[in-house]
Amino acid sequence: MDIFKRITEHRTEKETLAWTGTFAEYIDLVRQYPGLAKTAHARVYEMIASQGINDQSGNKSYTFFNKEIFGLDRAIEKLVEEYFHSSARRLDVRKRILLLMGPVSGGKSTIVTMLKRGLEQFSKDDLGAVYAIKGCPMHEDPLHLIPQDLRSEVERELGVRIEGTLCPSCQMRLKTEYNGCIEDVLVERVLISEEARVGIGTFSPSDPKSQDIADLTGSIDFSTITEFGSESDPRAYRFDGELNKANRGIMEFQEMLKCDEKFLWNLLSLTQEGNFKAGRFALISADELIIAHTNETEYKSFIANKKNEALQSRMIVMPIPYNLRVSDEEKIYFKLIGQSDMSHIHSAPHALRVAAIFSILTRLKETKKQGMDLVKKMRMYDGEVVEGYKEADLKEMQNEFIEEGMSGIDPRYVINRISSALIRQDLQCINALDVLRALKDGLDQHPSITKDERERYLNFISVARKEYDDIAKKEVQKAFVYSFEESARTLFDNYLDNIEAYCNWGKIKDALTGDEMDPDERLMRSIEEQIGISENAKKAFREEILIRISSYSRKGRRFDYSSHERLREAIEKKLFADLKDIVKITTSTKTPDEKQLRRINDVTKQLIDGHGYCPVCANELLRYVGSLLNR
């Protein structure tokens, strides 16, 4: 009953949105809401902007893309600002084909699909409402009914811009059905729909010998030739090509550069002048955003052909590289697995992270920056602080290689390998080692990598394994630290008392005896050495901590052990170092005594309750870390 109730509500919602009136009534609407006369490009930009734009430190992110696209903030910002925003302002960019160019499985098709689905939804809102001449096969703008001689006056009165002319079908209907009275022409509200072929067209290349240009521009209806007597009679023509149906919205060219040339030449006039040629008619106006996608190899082949210069000059090429952030790559894998029927299988913490580490390493370029290796670069790209490097170094590296992210292992390969591991074994849970093993096995079957690339990728799998070893040890050690927050806070407070006394040439009061003592240099150094603070740098580090505390205090904020990233790391490492022997003995004992067994059970519970492990992967983690610590 709930299903049918929802279906009824959905039907009622569509009926509520329906509107039909005369052109005279539509003009009254436009007078109230001039935004109804927006172009297709403006409609797409407003759709994106209406969902929210976050501007942090000069970098913009768009809520519209956040649920599906991960790690492409810079590419998306360039796409929206340089193309959609500029096009919405009627700058010359709107007279260009938008070509998304990038490696396979990089998100190009996802971006286009999101724009199409988003436009469908946006047309249901008042801000994105679309009105069209009722019965027009191209759902064209009713303002095209205004005669050319009167347009400048109407534009001033209504505060709009009118571009384009009536399609041949509406020209004839205006004469035959309405006797030239444009005020009586019926106008209706239409909803953008790819399924219903309203405002969205999609063209996919096939065999050039069998594919007809009519797929784009419509065709003659030969069954009506005898009735209407001429191929130039609009009633004898089907205005049902993809360019016709995409009017007022988006025209997608899938694998555009694989198209036969005769299909591409139709776009020259459409992009520059906003019209195209069909049948034995004058040029037909169309207001649509043309978006295509291709890979880098095909694009290079296309621009190498001098015959394509005219079309190339009418393109805006937007590179869509692979994501270069580990945390965002992880989100991609979670999303793809969540869409499958295998989402019930538990993924151990960090299982997908190691796959992401491997993928990102294959995509990064070696920087010339001294002391910076790929692992450090990967961490900085992911937002981590790397000692000795600043924000300026990060930006410099991001701008060092234009082509960075245009090659490497694609997400589809990784998901295929993870899927293989999930299907091949009757698993309750998949862990990091399962994933790394599947990635390694798959390199032998990868169709496009060379022998040298294979060796390089195997090395990256080893690096990802080392990264996981460090993560695994920290996870177990952290679980062993009972009342971890309390222990960390106690050690942190003790350290702060000592560095304050050290910097102020003061004394420390013993909590038990009340005696005054010198700052505990041994304690301070045991913590600072965990993060490589040298003897010469210790004073500067301690003063930096005190300055940070003072800054927090002025702003009314509390400074705790996690407020300073490097100090937090030092505190945790110090606690872990103190516990290492206990962890080693407990996890590696084959026949644990009652005390050890109780401790293992407590740690397992901690991993399950507080760290996202299941009983299977928690026990496997403990066994694995035990073997690591005994090497």
Side-chain angles (χ1 to χ4, degrees):
M1 291 298 294
D2 288 341
I3 293 174
F4 291 108
K5 181 182 178 183
R6 187 67 193 96
I7 290 171
T8 302
E9 290 172 352
H10 182 262
R11 184 167 57 244
T12 304
E13 182 185 3
K14 291 188 72 173
E15 290 169 355
T16 304
L17 292 173
W19 183 93
T20 302
T22 64
F23 181 62
E25 292 171 321
Y26 174 68
I27 287 294
D28 289 336
L29 280 178
V30 175
R31 188 175 279 112
Q32 286 181 273
Y33 310 106
L36 291 176
K38 65 173 69 79
T39 64
H41 293 80
R43 186 172 292 109
V44 172
Y45 176 71
E46 287 189 19
M47 169 194 74
I48 296 169
S50 67
Q51 303 246 343
I53 302 174
N54 300 314
D55 194 347
Q56 296 179 341
S57 304
N59 297 318
K60 293 183 178 179
S61 65
Y62 302 87
T63 306
F64 176 80
F65 293 102
N66 286 350
K67 291 180 183 177
E68 294 286 333
I69 301 294
F70 305 107
L72 296 182
D73 295 353
R74 299 177 83 208
I76 293 294
E77 180 181 359
K78 185 178 180 183
L79 171 66
V80 174
E81 292 303 314
E82 293 189 15
Y83 185 80
F84 292 127
H85 196 180
S86 299
S87 299
R89 298 295 182 90
R90 296 181 188 266
L91 293 171
D92 221 42
V93 173
R94 73 190 175 111
K95 298 178 180 179
R96 306 288 184 269
I97 299 167
L98 174 61
L99 180 63
L100 306 181
M101 185 269 293
V104 296
S105 189
K108 304 183 296 297
S109 298
T110 303
I111 290 172
V112 178
T113 300
M114 289 186 72
L115 292 172
K116 292 193 293 186
R117 296 295 85 80
L119 199 57
E120 289 176 336
Q121 192 61 38
F122 190 57
S123 69
K124 297 176 183 178
D125 297 336
D126 291 340
L127 186 61
V130 181
Y131 291 83
I133 297 173
K134 188 169 185 177
C136 174
M138 293 180 59
H139 317 288
E140 70 178 299
D141 188 343
L143 293 179
H144 288 179
L145 289 162
I146 303 291
Q148 291 287 349
D149 295 343
L150 301 178
R151 286 192 177 182
S152 58
E153 295 176 42
V154 174
E155 286 176 344
R156 282 196 299 272
E157 182 182 342
L158 299 180
V160 299
R161 291 271 297 278
I162 306 172
E163 297 176 353
T165 57
L166 283 175
C167 73
S169 175
C170 287
Q171 289 178 31
M172 173 161 281
R173 290 177 59 228
L174 180 60
K175 293 177 185 176
T176 58
E177 293 181 31
Y178 297 101
N179 295 318
C181 297
I182 64 171
E183 62 271 24
D184 296 333
V185 174
L186 290 178
V187 174
E188 65 179 347
R189 181 173 179 178
V190 296
L191 299 179
I192 301 291
S193 169
E194 183 173 25
E195 184 180 347
R197 302 189 74 209
V198 177
I200 295 177
T202 305
F203 184 81
S204 183
S206 60
D207 182 6
K209 295 178 181 178
S210 60
Q211 195 160 30
D212 193 342
I213 197 70
D215 293 347
L216 278 180
T217 60
S219 61
I220 298 167
D221 185 354
F222 289 102
S223 66
T224 61
I225 291 292
T226 53
E227 181 182 352
F228 300 116
S230 170
E231 292 182 9
S232 60
D233 190 311
R235 292 169 296 182
Y237 196 86
R238 297 192 186 99
F239 295 92
D240 61 354
E242 297 302 327
L243 293 180
N244 305 100
K245 295 301 182 182
N247 188 37
R248 316 295 301 283
I250 291 175
M251 174 66 206
E252 177 193 5
F253 268 80
Q254 296 177 347
E255 303 296 340
M256 178 183 179
L257 302 185
K258 289 179 181 176
C259 288
D260 191 72
E261 288 180 2
K262 65 183 179 182
F263 296 100
L264 299 181
W265 296 132
N266 269 278
L267 304 180
L268 291 175
S269 175
L270 179 57
T271 53
Q272 195 63 37
E273 308 298 334
N275 51 46
F276 64 93
K277 191 76 174 72
R280 298 180 180 179
F281 304 106
L283 291 169
I284 299 174
S285 295
D287 171 31
E288 52 199 71
L289 186 156
I290 304 174
I291 184 166
H293 39 95
T294 190
N295 60 54
E296 193 173 10
T297 303
E298 286 171 357
Y299 176 68
K300 287 180 178 178
S301 176
F302 173 78
I303 60 177
N305 188 344
K306 294 293 183 183
K307 290 166 60 178
N308 296 325
E309 285 183 354
L311 190 59
Q312 185 188 338
S313 69
R314 287 171 171 81
M315 288 180 178
I316 295 288
V317 180
M318 286 288 171
I320 305 295
Y322 286 134
N323 158 57
L324 295 176
R325 291 205 295 256
V326 171
S327 53
D328 286 319
E329 190 74 8
E330 218 177 338
K331 292 175 186 175
I332 294 172
Y333 301 152
F334 272 116
K335 181 187 82 170
L336 294 174
I337 290 176
Q339 293 170 350
S340 74
D341 289 338
M342 306 300 291
S343 56
H344 63 283
I345 293 179
H346 181 250
S347 291
H350 315 295
L352 300 184
R353 185 171 183 81
V354 295
I357 289 171
F358 165 70
S359 299
I360 300 302
L361 287 172
T362 68
R363 300 169 190 171
L364 295 176
K365 302 282 186 186
E366 294 276 2
T367 181
K368 296 175 184 176
K369 191 167 288 295
Q370 189 174 5
M372 175 65 67
D373 59 24
L374 282 184
V375 173
K376 289 179 182 176
K377 185 177 183 180
M378 174 190 74
R379 288 176 178 160
M380 284 196 74
Y381 273 26
D382 204 38
E384 293 184 38
V385 175
V386 174
E387 186 181 354
Y389 299 95
K390 301 178 180 177
E391 183 74 19
D393 297 310
L394 171 63
K395 290 184 177 178
E396 186 181 327
M397 287 190 294
Q398 288 174 331
N399 296 324
E400 189 175 4
F401 301 102
I402 297 174
E403 72 280 11
E404 189 168 52
M406 300 299 279
S407 61
I409 290 292
D410 61 284
R412 197 174 293 155
Y413 167 78
V414 174
I415 283 299
N416 288 347
R417 296 311 308 157
I418 292 174
S419 300
S420 174
L422 290 171
I423 293 295
R424 188 173 61 246
Q425 304 174 42
D426 185 19
L427 294 173
Q428 294 178 310
C429 173
I430 187 168
N431 62 37
L433 298 180
D434 295 326
V435 171
L436 289 173
R437 196 177 301 114
L439 290 171
K440 185 177 180 180
D441 293 344
L443 291 177
D444 292 329
Q445 306 162 26
H446 201 289
S448 60
I449 63 172
T450 64
K451 184 178 179 181
D452 288 343
E453 284 176 326
R454 183 179 180 277
E455 291 301 316
R456 183 165 163 266
Y457 290 167
L458 284 172
N459 179 56
F460 288 144
I461 288 176
S462 298
V463 173
R465 172 75 176 265
K466 289 176 184 175
E467 289 291 299
Y468 175 66
D469 288 352
D470 290 340
I471 292 170
K473 284 186 279 189
K474 284 182 181 179
E475 289 278 80
V476 172
Q477 289 169 332
K478 194 177 288 188
F480 262 85
V481 180
Y482 300 108
S483 304
F484 176 70
E485 291 290 333
E486 185 180 340
S487 302
R489 197 171 292 111
T490 300
L491 183 59
F492 168 77
D493 290 338
N494 200 358
Y495 176 74
L496 288 188
D497 289 341
N498 278 275
I499 65 166
E500 186 176 12
Y502 169 85
C503 293
N504 295 327
W505 302 88
K507 297 281 186 179
I508 292 288
K509 185 174 285 188
D510 189 287
L512 294 176
T513 65
D515 297 337
E516 289 192 338
M517 304 179 298
D518 290 329
D520 190 342
E521 184 66 22
R522 186 175 178 183
L523 170 72
M524 291 185 286
R525 293 301 294 142
S526 70
I527 292 172
E528 292 158 357
E529 285 170 352
Q530 300 296 327
I531 51 173
I533 301 295
S534 66
E535 184 70 26
N536 293 333
K538 68 181 184 182
K539 186 173 186 293
F541 180 76
R542 293 169 187 177
E543 288 174 345
E544 179 198 333
I545 298 297
L546 289 183
I547 291 170
R548 183 76 66 90
I549 293 171
S550 175
S551 173
Y552 269 57
S553 178
R554 286 198 307 273
K555 295 174 183 176
R557 295 167 59 192
R558 183 174 178 274
F559 185 86
D560 62 26
Y561 94 96
S562 60
S563 298
H564 190 286
E565 182 67 26
R566 296 187 67 211
L567 181 55
R568 179 193 61 77
E569 182 184 354
I571 295 290
E572 289 182 354
K573 281 187 174 181
K574 168 61 176 167
L575 287 173
F576 295 158
D578 293 345
L579 281 167
K580 186 173 180 179
D581 289 339
I582 298 173
V583 175
K584 182 176 176 180
I585 293 168
T586 309
T587 56
S588 61
T589 303
K590 293 183 179 179
T591 54
D593 58 30
E594 185 179 344
K595 183 179 179 182
Q596 290 170 334
L597 187 61
R598 187 170 63 251
R599 177 167 270 169
I600 288 174
N601 289 337
D602 288 345
V603 171
T604 303
K605 187 176 186 301
Q606 179 71 16
L607 288 170
I608 294 169
D609 294 343
H611 297 260
Y613 288 84
C614 72
V616 174
C617 58
N619 284 315
E620 287 178 351
L621 177 71
L622 286 172
R623 283 198 298 271
Y624 181 64
V625 169
S627 69
L628 287 178
L629 294 176
N630 277 299
R631 286 177 186 173

